[in-house]
């Protein structure tokens, strides 16, 4: 055996040691397993190990066929050896078993006033805010400045509100695995679990600790205990309490600090801006705003301002002081003041009305009332229209609107208002209002009619003038939307029109001047199939004498000439006759008679646009035994009748329309048959003669 030199052995050991350095360094860099980690255990050929394994809060994983195995605080290689040792009794070949840390997670418990308390899994480096968001966020009533983090028995408080105010991450502790974040409830929530909103929680202040708060009470809008912060002043605390009320005595504010009261005249501070007048505020102080109290002031120069003003009371006046000066000293009218009905109660017992609104708007020559010592200015409250007491508004200042409006009733009236203002104040006409027949009823005078519908459409007419005490009546249209007919007991004939005969819905209909003949015919559902549109009659009843207008609606439909349509007025009667009415209802001068060998002989209506051919076609045409070359046309003349022969066969050959005879109402058309010809008569005589000769021969 050959012995190597010592220096060669030393060099070999050094090289081997250098080769192991990366392995040792890698072993030192291997992270320790901790709860929340997600592991991938690779066991070839075993499908039970395909799913990832979670390290529980207790530091264990559940292995198939093995059960619970503790791996927390082990490195990856140490955990791999522990897994191989646990699987050795069950599996033979474990050389290819491998362990990978698939995901590092931060397991934290979030408890207390959060929406979803419990364990949350976070990414490495997650903050407190991420943990709270993972728990559903903070619940209403959580105390933000006293959050806790619990770690291995140690409890540490931190101010989460300061972090939200500043955004400084150094104010939040760094999370570690197995930490517990606890969110306490604010003392304002009490000891009963109910739902709160922000307004309810801060109704009595926002302080969580009375020792570190400032209490504000008295004549403020939201008294309570408010959290103290260095640098706050009295004005700041009053603003947090919603400000002072209208009854506050701001000259007598008290600041109680360490059991010693300090007065503060806020009015003097506001008038001078002297910062030395502002008292300092400390934690635990009490701020009290008393109610203003004044003694009744009376004197030879006193004027009283009462009612809806901001500062009612007694005011000292001087020579030259006007009504506006005194009203301004009283703070002016409030938003509830009825400035149109201001009253000056003079010392001698007289009462002077004054319209302040008309004066401010410049409506006419309105003068300010003179105020003397001892007088009183009364600014009344606005009338509440929801209160249905008519005593609220006297008759000389009221007007009534009744009928089909949205809010009929009795309303206060002023001279600068008009009919449009009143209707708008009443909500406007209702859906069934007959605005074409609005009426104004005035005492000791005849009712005034006004077409409000035309005014809205055209705007050319002038609105009628209204005065206090009038009554505006808007009639209601029929409530049946199908045919718009009115009940005859509810509507006068002056606002009605009548339609009879062959229409879909004959009856009595509401009418105004904007409607025409076609409107009325359409409202009655139009003519039916039996209607004789060529002989419609309109009876005009209004006027010195009745008139009847004839209408051929066929001609209107053919030409579209609007001049053919008659103008209808209230109380008119429209009659649409029946096509099959009795012949006695038709005069002889309004029809043409068709006789002889035709399909339907009879009396027919005729107009100037028709010819003999149209008339024969309407009568069914000549029959097979008709003598079409000998049609007789009898024209009725003024002195004597004339007859002429028309050859229909020759017309069919040459189509000479000039040969057609002229027809007028009252004429007669006769189509003879073959039995009436001369040859037929001769044949009948010859046949009779032969029969007689044959009989004689037999005898």
């Amino acid at each position: 055996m050959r012995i190597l030199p010592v220096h060669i052995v030393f060099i070999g050991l050094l090289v081997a040691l250098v080769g192991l350095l990366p392995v040792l360094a890698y072993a030192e860099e291997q992270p320790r397993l901790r709860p929340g980690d997600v592991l991938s255990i690779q066991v070839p050929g075993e499908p039970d190990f395909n799913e990832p394994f979670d390290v529980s809060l207790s530091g264990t994983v559940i292995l198939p066929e093995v059960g619970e195995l503790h791996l927390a605080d082990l490195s990856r290689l140490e955990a791999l050896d522990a897994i191989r040792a646990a699987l050795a009794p069950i599996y033979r070949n474990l050389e290819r078993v491998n362990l990978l840390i698939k995901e590092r997670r931060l397991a934290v418990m979030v408890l207390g006033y959060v929406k979803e308390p419990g364990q949350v899994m976070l990414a490495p480096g997650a903050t407190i805010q991420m943990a709270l968001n993972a728990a559903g966020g903070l619940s209403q009533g959580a105390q933000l400045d006293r959050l806790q983090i619990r770690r291995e028995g140690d409890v540490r408080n931190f101010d989460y509100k300061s972090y939200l105010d500043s955004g400084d991450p150094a104010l939040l502790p760094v999370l570690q695995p197995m930490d517990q974040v606890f969110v306490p409830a604010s003392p304002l929530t009490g000891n009963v679990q109910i739902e709160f909103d922000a307004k309810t929680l801060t109704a009595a202040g926002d302080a969580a600790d009375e020792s570190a708060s400032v209490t504000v009470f008295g004549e403020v809008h939201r008294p309570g205990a408010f959290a103290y912060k260095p640098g706050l002043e009295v004005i700041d605390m009053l603003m947090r309490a919603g400000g002072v009320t209208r009854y506050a005595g701001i000259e007598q504010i008290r600041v109680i600090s360490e059991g010693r009261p300090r007065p503060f005249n806020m009015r003097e501070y506001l008038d001078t801006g002297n910062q030395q007048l502002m008292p300092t505020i400390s934690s635990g102080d009490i701020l009290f705003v008393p109610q203003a109290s004044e003694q009744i002031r009376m004197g030879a120069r006193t004027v009283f301002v009462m009612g809806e003003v901001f500062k009612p009371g007694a005011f000292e006046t001087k020579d030259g002081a006007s009504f506006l000066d005194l009203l301004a000293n009283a703070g002016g009218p409030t938003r509830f003041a009825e400035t149109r009905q201001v009253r000056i109660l003079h010392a001698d017992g007289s009462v002077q009305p004054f319209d302040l609104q008309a004066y401010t708007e410049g409506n006419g020559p309105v003068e300010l009332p003179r105020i003397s010592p001892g007088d009183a200015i009364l600014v009344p409250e606005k009338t509440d229209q929801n209160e249905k007491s008519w005593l609220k508004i006297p008759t000389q200042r009221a007007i009534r609107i009744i009928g089909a409006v949205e809010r009929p009733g009795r309303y206060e009236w002023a001279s600068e208002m008009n009919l449009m203002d009143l209707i708008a104040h009443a909500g406007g006409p209702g859906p069934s209002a007959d605005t074409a027949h609005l009426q104004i009823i005035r005492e000791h005078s005849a009712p005034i009619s006004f077409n409000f519908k035309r005014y809205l459409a055209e705007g050319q007419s002038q609105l009628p003038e209204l005065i206090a005490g009038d009554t505006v009546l808007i009639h209601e249209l029929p409530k049946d939307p199908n045919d718009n007919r009115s009940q005859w007991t509810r509507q006068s004939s002056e606002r009605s029109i009548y339609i009879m005969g062959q229409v879909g819905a004959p009856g009595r209909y509401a009418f105004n001047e904007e409607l025409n003949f076609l409107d009325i015919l359409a409202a009655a559902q139009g003519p039916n199939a039996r209607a004789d549109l060529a002989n419609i009659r309109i009876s005009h009843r209004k006027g010195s004498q009745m008139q009847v207008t004839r209408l051929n609606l066929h001609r209107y439909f053919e030409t579209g000439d609007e001049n053919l349509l008659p103008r209808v007025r209230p109380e008119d009667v429209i009659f649409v006759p029946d096509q099959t009415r009795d012949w006695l209802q038709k005069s002889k001068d309004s029809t043409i008679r068709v006789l002889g060998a035709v399909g339907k002989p009879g009396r027919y209506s005729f107009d100037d646009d028709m010819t003999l051919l149209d008339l024969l076609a309407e009568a069914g045409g000549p029959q097979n035994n008709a003598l079409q070359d000998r049609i007789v046309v009898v024209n009725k003349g003024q002195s004597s009748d004339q007859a002429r022969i028309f050859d229909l066969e020759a017309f069919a050959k040459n189509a000479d329309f000039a040969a057609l005879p002229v027809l007028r109402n009252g004429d007669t058309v006769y189509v003879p048959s073959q039995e009436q010809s001369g040859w037929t008569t001769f044949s009948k005589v010859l046949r009779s003669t032969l029969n007689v000769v044959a009989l004689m021969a037999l005898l």
Side-chain angles (χ1 to χ4, degrees), residues 612-643:
L612 176 61
L613 300 178
D614 300 321
L615 190 62
L616 289 175
E618 190 172 357
Q623 296 181 346
N624 294 332
N625 60 345
L627 297 177
Q628 301 185 24
D629 58 342
R630 302 180 188 180
I631 298 176
V632 180
V633 178
V634 180
N635 298 117
K636 182 179 180 182
Q638 296 181 354
S639 58
S640 61
D641 299 339
Q642 298 179 358

Side-chain angles (χ1 to χ4, degrees), residues 399 413-422 438-443 445-450 455 461-472:
I399 197 167
W413 186 252
S415 58
E416 63 268 19
M417 298 174 66
N418 57 26
L419 177 63
M420 187 70 75
D421 297 324
L422 178 65
L438 182 145
Q439 284 187 320
I440 301 171
I441 303 172
R442 184 169 299 166
E443 190 175 359
S445 62
I448 303 173
S449 297
F450 179 65
Y455 174 81
S461 58
Q462 186 176 1
L463 288 171
E465 184 178 355
L466 296 178
I467 60 175
D470 285 353
T471 300
V472 177

